[in-house]
Amino acid sequence: MVRRVYVEKKKGFDVEAQGLYEDIQHNLGIKGLTGIRIVNRYDIQGLDEETYETAKYSVFAEPAVDMAYDETMPGDMSSVVFFAQEYLPGQFDQRADSAVQCIRLMKPGTDPVVKFAKLTFLEGEVASEDVEQIKSYCINPVDSQEAELAKPESLSMQYDVPEKVETISGFTKMDDDGVEAYRKKLDFAMSKDDIIMIRDYFAKDEKRDPTITELKVIDTYWSDHCRHTTFNTKLTDIYFEDGPYGDIVKEAFQEYMDIRGEVYGDRQKDICLMDMGVIGTKYIKKEGLADDLDESDEINACSIKVKADINGEKQDWLVMFKNETHNHPTEIEPFGGAATCLGGAIRDPLSGRVYVYQAMRVTGAADPRATLAQTHPGKLPQRKITIGAANGYSSYGNQIGLATGLVDEVYHPDYVAKRMEVGAVIGAAPADHVRREEPIPGDVVILVGGRTGRDGMGGATGASKKHTEASISTCGAEVQKGNPPVERNIQRLFRKKEVSTLIKRCNDFGAGGVSVAIGELADGLEINLDLVPKKYEGLDGTELAISESQERMAVV
């Protein structure tokens, strides 16, 4: 049996509805719109009458600020203008998930299913074309869709049995133009030269056609996001434009070349952006000025060794720093992009078994006062990006319990091309909590944290592509939906010495998912994708291999 409850804030507490009304009036200027009401709709399955009545005003609504209606909204709904929106199938819905967790805490052993939708009521005389304009403004196709109004008979989802992973028949026999056409058809992030090289490898070395999973994994692992191909590109023709900054840049480059000579001597080393970024650290290390640097084969955050004063006793601790940019995901889905920017910054020190204590956020936006009419085609309005990103970041930070000491947003017209979203964190842990050893045959890799779903599918490759006006409607699954309570649980788990000292090596499930997280743990592994815990059935091998999330860790 499916029960339905509608929850609406009482007048004076309806801050979200008032804010949306002001936002729409500012950006759209809809004539005849006099007000907005927002109602949260929950469909619940798997609860008995007593548990439902208890949950109604302890999970779904608060008596002091909410009104709750069973099954139907009060009054005549025939002339009311409204629409409902929900997350796309496969997207993580934290509100519904939190409701399920609360019910399970309230009555252990219960296995409810909750589906959530938001209803937006438009008050006044609003023309039909204006209603459609408001819908398109409120419903971001990257992660949401318009929801059905009728109550379903069941919330049980029907999943197709995954088909056997496809082998790309004839791939090794394709000519250069053929593999390039296939690359474009599959929207791979790799280049034409890359896929030609892959074809030649499978033809000469493997002597077989690849599976789609193999191609997707290679595309993910070789993406600019994971392998930093742009930063590692060899620079051969370097010149400096005239202008106010030309001499400054030229002088800085010459300083870089002088330091290279001292660091590398006669050894040949490609000039690239990555080398420019790390040359300073290499120099101070060579000069003996970095004796506190903590070095290991683990690919986690920057780590240094310190003596910490703990209740008057000097102890050996590790301090880690990490920053994360989520410019692309925040541009197309502001709330989730900014939320997972913070979660992503936390996960790298966390994979180093370090507890994160503080953060800062530096962002760049164009003028958030610009109207929808002033917004470039294929872009979200700057106001929507700015407010949505602030809400996403603060939501994640508040739920995981992380203090952000600096929040600074820079406004400049050039950020209209692409938003800047940077999160940085600092964390620490006792040195004797962190064990780092080389994995050996027979070691076991364990997945810790949240389950795998379709959200975060192809984020690494998506962030590595050139984007067009169509990107906002084609990149939906690429933006992860953060689950801060799960990452908080991993933080608390790894903080226990008896747990962290069991771990020989660890990697997070950020960009690339299983294909990168486990692939970077050792030179060769056997991965049984059938054992990956799933949010729901129906995921095929490719999806299991590349789904990303900052709330999962792979530990040896």
Side-chain angles (χ1 to χ4, degrees), residues 313-348:
E313 177 189 350
K314 293 293 183 180
Q315 296 182 5
D316 292 323
W317 278 60
L318 297 179
V319 175
M320 287 192 182
F321 312 85
K322 181 62 168 65
N323 73 284
E324 179 92 358
T325 60
H326 265 211
N327 305 337
H328 161 65
T330 307
E331 175 82 16
I332 65 171
E333 203 286 271
F335 187 97
T340 54
C341 180
L342 178 58
I346 292 170
R347 73 171 179 246
D348 281 311

Side-chain angles (χ1 to χ4, degrees), residues 45-107:
Q45 183 174 290
L47 291 188
D48 56 52
E49 183 70 26
E50 181 182 357
T51 306
Y52 168 73
E53 288 298 331
T54 304
K56 184 163 64 173
Y57 274 111
S58 61
V59 175
F60 301 109
E62 297 177 82
V65 300
D66 291 319
M67 297 173 290
Y69 311 109
D70 289 318
E71 299 303 330
T72 59
M73 291 284 292
D76 180 13
M77 299 292 291
S78 60
S79 61
V80 179
V81 178
F82 71 100
F83 60 91
Q85 65 188 84
E86 63 184 359
Y87 282 127
L88 293 168
Q91 284 281 12
F92 173 67
D93 186 341
Q94 188 176 17
R95 185 185 286 267
D97 182 70
S98 297
V100 169
Q101 292 185 49
C102 289
I103 293 170
R104 285 174 178 165
L105 287 172
M106 187 177 69
K107 188 173 182 179

Side-chain angles (χ1 to χ4, degrees), residues 454-473:
R454 290 193 175 94
D455 49 311
M457 197 72 63
T461 51
S464 306
K465 297 173 188 172
K466 176 182 177 181
H467 289 276
T468 66
E469 290 181 16
S471 298
I472 198 167
S473 58

Side-chain angles (χ1 to χ4, degrees), residues 183 189-199 222 229:
R183 182 189 73 84
M190 67 176 82
S191 68
K192 179 180 178 180
D193 289 340
D194 288 336
I195 200 164
I196 289 173
M197 194 196 84
I198 293 168
R199 177 204 60 193
W222 285 4
T229 51

Side-chain angles (χ1 to χ4, degrees), residues 189-237:
M190 67 176 82
S191 68
K192 179 180 178 180
D193 289 340
D194 288 336
I195 200 164
I196 289 173
M197 194 196 84
I198 293 168
R199 177 204 60 193
D200 294 343
Y201 165 76
F202 273 95
K204 295 174 184 176
D205 294 80
E206 296 287 335
K207 295 181 173 57
R208 64 175 176 86
D209 288 323
T211 65
I212 185 63
T213 301
E214 288 172 314
L215 293 181
K216 290 270 189 177
V217 165
I218 293 171
D219 194 46
T220 301
Y221 207 80
W222 285 4
S223 68
D224 198 30
H225 196 70
C226 294
R227 295 292 89 194
H228 304 300
T229 51
T230 298
F231 284 160
N232 284 306
T233 297
K234 182 179 178 180
L235 304 179
T236 57
D237 186 14

Side-chain angles (χ1 to χ4, degrees), residues 10-177:
K10 296 177 181 178
K11 286 295 182 184
F13 297 97
D14 55 343
V15 178
E16 182 184 7
Q18 294 178 34
L20 180 59
Y21 172 70
E22 294 175 2
D23 189 10
I24 288 176
Q25 290 293 59
H26 174 84
N27 275 296
L28 306 181
I30 302 296
K31 295 180 179 179
L33 181 67
T34 59
I36 281 180
R37 294 167 57 200
I38 290 178
V39 176
N40 293 326
R41 187 187 76 189
Y42 300 91
D43 289 336
I44 311 108
Q45 183 174 290
L47 291 188
D48 56 52
E49 183 70 26
E50 181 182 357
T51 306
Y52 168 73
E53 288 298 331
T54 304
K56 184 163 64 173
Y57 274 111
S58 61
V59 175
F60 301 109
E62 297 177 82
V65 300
D66 291 319
M67 297 173 290
Y69 311 109
D70 289 318
E71 299 303 330
T72 59
M73 291 284 292
D76 180 13
M77 299 292 291
S78 60
S79 61
V80 179
V81 178
F82 71 100
F83 60 91
Q85 65 188 84
E86 63 184 359
Y87 282 127
L88 293 168
Q91 284 281 12
F92 173 67
D93 186 341
Q94 188 176 17
R95 185 185 286 267
D97 182 70
S98 297
V100 169
Q101 292 185 49
C102 289
I103 293 170
R104 285 174 178 165
L105 287 172
M106 187 177 69
K107 188 173 182 179
T110 306
D111 191 23
V113 179
V114 176
K115 191 171 182 180
F116 169 74
K118 179 187 290 186
L119 277 57
T120 302
F121 290 79
L122 308 178
E123 298 178 331
E125 298 294 329
V126 185
S128 58
E129 60 269 21
D130 289 335
V131 173
E132 293 305 313
Q133 190 178 7
I134 292 172
K135 277 185 189 179
S136 63
Y137 181 75
C138 292
I139 303 176
N140 185 350
V142 166
D143 68 343
S144 301
Q145 65 183 8
E146 189 168 357
E148 296 288 341
L149 300 180
K151 188 175 77 171
E153 294 292 327
S154 172
L155 299 183
S156 299
M157 295 182 68
Q158 300 298 317
Y159 300 103
D160 295 330
V161 177
E163 296 181 5
K164 185 178 178 181
V165 170
E166 177 191 3
T167 296
I168 312 304
S169 180
F171 180 83
T172 54
K173 298 288 193 293
M174 293 181 186
D175 60 17
D176 291 358
D177 291 338

